[in-house]
């Protein structure tokens, strides 16, 4: 329960927003990879888990499709 042991979630949001708005992403996998790389570059963390969802990729069939990836620093 130490504030000093966390990262600034607003800064995390800002990085994600910048990556997402910075270019077109045809694949949710590509967007997840770019977000993971940006977060590892910006923050002193050992690893990140990124989940990206695309709402209603097929009309009436699925609520969402998506990916979840884990990337580690130096891996």
């Amino acid at each position: 329960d130490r504030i000093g042991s966390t990262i600034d979630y607003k800064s995390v949001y800002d990085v994600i927003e910048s990556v997402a708005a910075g270019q077109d992403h045809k694949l949710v996998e590509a967007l997840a990879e770019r977000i993971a790389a940006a977060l590892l570059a910006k923050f002193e963390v050992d690893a990140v888990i990124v989940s990206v969802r695309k709402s209603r990729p097929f009309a009436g069939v699925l609520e969402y499709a998506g990916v979840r990836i884990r990337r580690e620093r130096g891996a």
Side-chain angles (χ1 to χ4, degrees), residues 6-75:
T6 66
I7 59 176
D8 179 2
Y9 295 111
K10 171 69 167 94
S11 295
V12 170
Y13 175 85
D14 290 344
V15 169
I16 294 168
E17 182 179 44
S18 175
V19 170
Q23 70 184 76
D24 288 335
H25 308 279
K26 294 179 178 153
L27 301 173
V28 292
E29 294 86 350
L31 177 56
E33 290 289 352
R34 291 178 185 125
I35 290 170
L39 292 173
L40 287 170
K42 175 80 175 178
F43 301 101
E44 293 183 28
V45 294
D46 296 329
V48 295
I49 297 173
V50 176
S51 298
V52 176
R53 291 183 181 184
K54 183 176 187 174
S55 297
R56 304 237 177 248
F58 308 106
V61 178
L62 300 172
E63 286 187 39
Y64 67 88
V67 297
R68 177 174 293 153
I69 63 169
R70 175 184 164 87
R71 296 297 178 260
E72 298 179 11
R73 183 173 305 285

